[in-house]
Amino acid sequence: MAFQRRRYNYYNRLRRLLPLICAFSGALLILFALLSIFSPPPDDSDRRISKQINYGANDGKNIAVVFRVPRGGGRSDRHIWHSWNAEFFYGCCNASSKFPNANAITRSDRYLAIATSGGLNQQRTGIVDAVVAARILNATLVIPKLDQKSYWKDASDFSHIFDVDWFMSFLSKDVKIIEQLPTKKGRTWSPSRMRVPRKCNEKCYLNRVLPVLQKRHAVQLNKFDYRLSNKLRDDLQKLRCRVNYHALKFTDPIRKMGNELVRRMRLRSKHYIALHLRFEPDMLAFSGCYYGGGEKEKKELGSIRRRWKTLHVNNPEKQRRQGRCPLTPEEVGLMLRALGYGSDVHIYVASGEVYGGEESLAPLKALFPHFYSKDTIATKMELEPFSSFSSRMAALDFLVCDESDVFVTNNNGNMARILAGRRRYFGHKPTIRPNAKKLYKLFLSKGNTTWEEFASHVRTFQRGFMGEPKEVRAGRGEFHENPSTCICEDTDGKAKAGNMDSRKLGKKNKIEDGGVTNDEQKEDEDAEWSSETDYEEDHTDLQDRGLYNGTRLDYEDASLSVSDEPELEEMLSD
């Protein structure tokens, strides 16, 4: 009887608990159903890690955080708006007393004309080098012809971009310059046309061009870009600097509009960063890089890449590993935050069509919401005189980038190199070039580290890539990027500041964490950049030979880098 009573009590208690168990189970089923309805679909893209990053927003949502990116720049080991030691260096390019006046050496029967190639900044290098080539040949220079036939279809000539009168008068003691060839028997002189090899030195011009010039008296050098050696005697290098940094001045309309854009950026903030963002579909396709967009990206960029019939099949992973791919907008943003720039910093972006559009730009805008371009700070009516001409629009961006407190690039193209050299010459204003080879590994593993570790590594890897004095050894790289001959040091001022610490004086070359010197690191990266194919050169050349049938780009200056090409035979014609 006792056993039956215990069993009865047990079943009685179970009968009372059963409704509660059923209700709890039902609630769980409803909860799981709601989660399955409202949860986002699985993301099979390689971009999934970036979607787990918290950019410092506090909107109350639950976010799976791999590492939290702070809104502020945090403590930096450097002054973020100034270069170390810059006050002791200045641009110097005056001619020496041993450099004869142009009137004393110019031969009256020698005329040199050039036809530039590429976008605005590639053409700029051709103009600078043309002046030096005319000086080497003791010839009168004809105002250079700008490239009007490439895929930019820009009909601008020299006088539409640069102040011709200033150009001629400023260089009058160095080279005699005329606007067009003189007439011969009532007709304009027709020059002999030829091309010279890349990096042609002084002896090369005297051996190849001078004999033709002496015979025909007028020569036009075609596709004239990077056709002059980086290594010339000092007086010719200083002439290069006088042309690039003083004689080439934009026309009044361009300067007026450019200065107005700078003024509007200054009204928004005391300091601003200018970012030259190269992330156009054509450029990415040419590079052979892959950015995690799945089959859609591979198909889209692959179809564009097939327009270049001579390109080899690349290993995208190898390209990224060797630092040959432009940084993504998100990667640029993370690099800047790690270097100490907070979300309150204002950014001016000079770019063309960004692959992926707003989706690609969203992470950068989340990190830096004060995001501007010439299209957002100027009206369509204000830009109308320039908008149909890619070179004039590029000139506006050039001016705003040049005047910025910090210039940043995600690539090593022509505009990046020209501005890097110019900013060194005019006071070593901070110029950040990504150490892409080292940063690639860091970006790849960011999901497995803390923000503090990530930022520390970025700061270490970027030493030697910030545009500081003596960051690059004299004579290394392109002269337009590193005009070391034209940069002088105030040794007296430096001596008076002898109590400054070794880092302030620019003597701390060892990288503390890695034990690698700036020179060694720079040499490693220079070797990688210099081995790249020149996108802009190939783009133009292939089109000229009928091997490229692409459409017009929205933005000029589409080169990744300039590499040595095999010598081109001289092509002469009457």
Side-chain angles (χ1 to χ4, degrees):
M1 291 294 292
F3 173 75
Q4 289 180 346
R5 283 197 299 270
R6 284 197 299 273
R7 186 170 62 178
Y8 175 80
N9 291 335
Y10 172 78
Y11 283 123
N12 193 35
R13 287 196 299 272
L14 183 63
R15 193 179 301 113
R16 286 196 293 267
L17 288 173
L18 190 60
L20 294 175
I21 295 172
C22 292
F24 181 73
S25 301
L28 282 178
L29 287 173
I30 293 171
L31 178 62
F32 289 142
L34 290 174
L35 287 174
S36 65
I37 292 172
F38 293 107
S39 63
D43 184 7
D44 59 355
S45 167
D46 289 341
R47 299 176 184 177
R48 60 188 178 276
I49 292 179
S50 67
K51 295 184 179 180
Q52 294 176 317
I53 297 175
N54 184 343
Y55 290 116
N58 185 18
D59 53 6
K61 295 180 180 179
N62 293 324
I63 303 175
V65 179
V66 175
F67 70 145
R68 187 180 186 279
V69 182
R71 295 188 64 85
R75 186 186 66 82
S76 177
D77 58 353
R78 51 180 290 274
H79 195 299
I80 63 174
W81 300 115
H82 301 286
S83 294
W84 293 111
N85 214 17
E87 64 270 25
F88 301 122
F89 295 85
Y90 58 94
C92 53
C93 66
N94 290 335
S96 69
S97 58
K98 297 180 180 180
F99 197 65
N101 189 287
N103 293 329
I105 63 167
T106 304
R107 298 290 296 269
S108 60
D109 59 346
R110 296 179 189 175
Y111 297 93
L112 180 67
I114 69 153
T116 60
S117 176
L120 174 65
N121 294 289
Q122 186 166 329
Q123 292 183 90
R124 188 185 186 104
T125 65
I127 295 167
V128 171
D129 291 347
V131 174
V132 180
R135 176 76 190 202
I136 291 171
L137 298 166
N138 294 333
T140 296
L141 177 68
V142 182
I143 288 291
K145 296 179 181 179
L146 300 190
D147 186 352
Q148 299 177 340
K149 297 180 180 179
S150 65
Y151 52 91
W152 294 287
K153 307 300 181 186
D154 190 330
S156 302
D157 60 30
F158 191 98
S159 63
H160 292 129
I161 307 294
F162 301 107
D163 187 328
V164 176
D165 293 336
W166 173 261
F167 181 75
M168 295 173 67
S169 63
F170 188 89
L171 296 171
S172 60
K173 294 181 179 180
D174 298 311
V175 175
K176 184 178 179 181
I177 304 174
I178 58 176
E179 294 195 46
Q180 58 184 11
L181 284 168
T183 58
K184 184 179 181 181
K185 295 181 180 180
R187 294 188 301 176
T188 302
W189 208 325
S190 179
S192 296
R193 290 171 171 80
M194 61 182 296
R195 289 175 68 177
V196 293
R198 284 286 181 98
K199 312 293 178 63
C200 193
N201 59 22
E202 188 173 357
K203 184 178 179 181
C204 170
Y205 276 91
L206 295 176
N207 289 340
R208 290 172 177 261
V209 183
L210 184 57
V212 182
L213 196 57
Q214 289 173 327
K215 181 180 180 181
R216 303 291 182 86
H217 306 297
V219 168
Q220 177 173 302
L221 301 179
N222 291 330
K223 289 196 173 294
F224 198 81
D225 60 334
Y226 295 98
R227 305 290 164 174
L228 188 61
S229 173
N230 285 312
K231 297 180 180 180
L232 300 173
R233 63 178 193 263
D234 286 357
D235 55 357
L236 294 179
Q237 297 287 50
K238 287 182 178 292
L239 175 56
R240 257 178 166 164
C241 295
R242 289 198 293 279
V243 181
N244 200 2
Y245 306 133
H246 299 283
L248 279 177
K249 187 167 67 172
F250 291 121
T251 59
D252 286 342
I254 291 175
R255 284 190 292 116
K256 182 179 179 181
M257 188 67 231
N259 290 338
E260 178 59 21
L261 294 175
V262 172
R263 188 186 72 83
R264 293 176 188 181
M265 287 300 298
R266 294 288 182 206
L267 286 175
R268 288 167 168 79
S269 178
K270 180 180 179 181
H271 302 290
Y272 74 90
I273 292 175
L275 166 62
H276 185 222
L277 182 64
R278 300 304 317 280
F279 210 66
E280 296 91 336
D282 291 65
M283 185 182 187
L284 300 186
F286 184 88
S287 71
C289 300
Y290 173 67
Y291 289 94
E295 289 301 317
K296 180 176 181 291
E297 177 186 323
K298 293 177 181 178
K299 183 178 179 181
E300 290 175 347
L301 297 186
S303 65
I304 298 174
R305 185 174 174 83
R306 284 191 290 273
R307 297 172 183 170
W308 288 279
K309 296 182 181 180
T310 60
L311 288 184
H312 301 292
V313 176
N314 279 345
N315 181 336
E317 176 65 22
K318 184 179 179 181
Q319 294 292 101
R320 289 276 281 175
R321 189 169 60 249
Q322 294 182 344
R324 297 182 179 182
C325 298
L327 267 61
T328 68
E330 178 185 24
E331 290 167 349
V332 173
L334 291 173
M335 177 187 71
L336 289 175
R337 184 58 50 82
L339 291 173
Y341 300 97
S343 61
D344 58 332
V345 169
H346 289 59
I347 291 186
Y348 177 92
V349 178
S351 72
E353 175 193 358
V354 174
Y355 180 69
E358 285 299 315
E359 183 180 354
S360 294
L361 290 173
L364 177 60
K365 289 184 175 181
L367 286 163
F368 296 96
H370 302 289
F371 186 96
Y372 308 97
S373 68
K374 58 182 175 292
D375 297 307
T376 63
I377 60 176
T379 65
K380 287 185 177 180
M381 184 176 295
E382 288 175 315
L383 295 176
E384 187 176 0
F386 315 96
S387 58
S388 298
F389 306 95
S390 62
S391 291
R392 300 180 210 184
M393 292 289 274
L396 296 178
D397 280 336
F398 186 97
L399 287 169
V400 183
C401 291
D402 185 33
E403 290 296 322
S404 65
D405 298 281
V406 175
F407 174 64
V408 185
T409 177
N410 73 327
N411 68 98
N412 198 40
N414 289 314
M415 181 170 171
R417 284 196 300 272
I418 290 286
L419 276 172
R422 184 178 179 85
R423 292 169 69 87
R424 282 190 173 102
Y425 181 85
F426 288 108
H428 282 86
K429 293 186 288 185
T431 303
I432 302 174
R433 169 193 150 188
N435 184 348
K437 185 175 180 179
K438 297 290 178 65
L439 292 178
Y440 157 72
K441 300 174 184 177
L442 193 58
F443 289 131
L444 192 66
S445 61
K446 66 179 181 290
N448 301 316
T449 186
T450 65
W451 170 256
E452 289 73 19
E453 292 173 335
F454 176 86
S456 176
H457 284 306
V458 169
R459 291 192 292 269
T460 296
F461 294 154
Q462 281 302 121
R463 291 174 186 167
F465 294 81
M466 305 296 288
E468 295 180 357
K470 294 190 175 181
E471 192 176 73
V472 186
R473 287 199 302 268
R476 287 196 62 81
E478 294 287 342
F479 184 79
H480 299 291
E481 181 181 10
N482 181 31
S484 54
T485 308
C486 304
I487 297 176
C488 295
E489 184 176 0
D490 180 7
T491 53
D492 291 339
K494 200 170 183 178
K496 292 178 182 178
N499 293 328
M500 300 171 71
D501 59 66
S502 61
R503 183 185 179 95
K504 182 71 176 177
L505 292 176
K507 296 180 179 177
K508 191 173 184 179
N509 288 329
K510 286 284 183 180
I511 294 181
E512 296 171 0
D513 296 339
V516 181
T517 66
N518 288 350
D519 284 341
E520 290 169 347
Q521 188 173 0
K522 184 71 176 177
E523 182 175 355
D524 179 48
E525 293 304 314
D526 281 346
E528 294 297 342
W529 278 113
S530 64
S531 65
E532 289 182 345
T533 307
D534 182 8
Y535 166 64
E536 187 169 84
E537 166 87 0
D538 285 6
H539 210 35
T540 308
D541 280 353
L542 293 177
Q543 184 198 45
D544 290 345
R545 287 182 277 160
L547 298 178
Y548 175 71
N549 57 357
T551 56
R552 177 181 181 273
L553 287 180
D554 291 332
Y555 191 78
E556 66 83 39
D557 186 35
S559 76
L560 287 173
S561 73
V562 175
S563 60
D564 291 329
E565 64 178 10
E567 285 195 354
L568 300 172
E569 293 186 7
E570 298 175 43
M571 299 173 2
L572 303 177
S573 61
D574 291 332

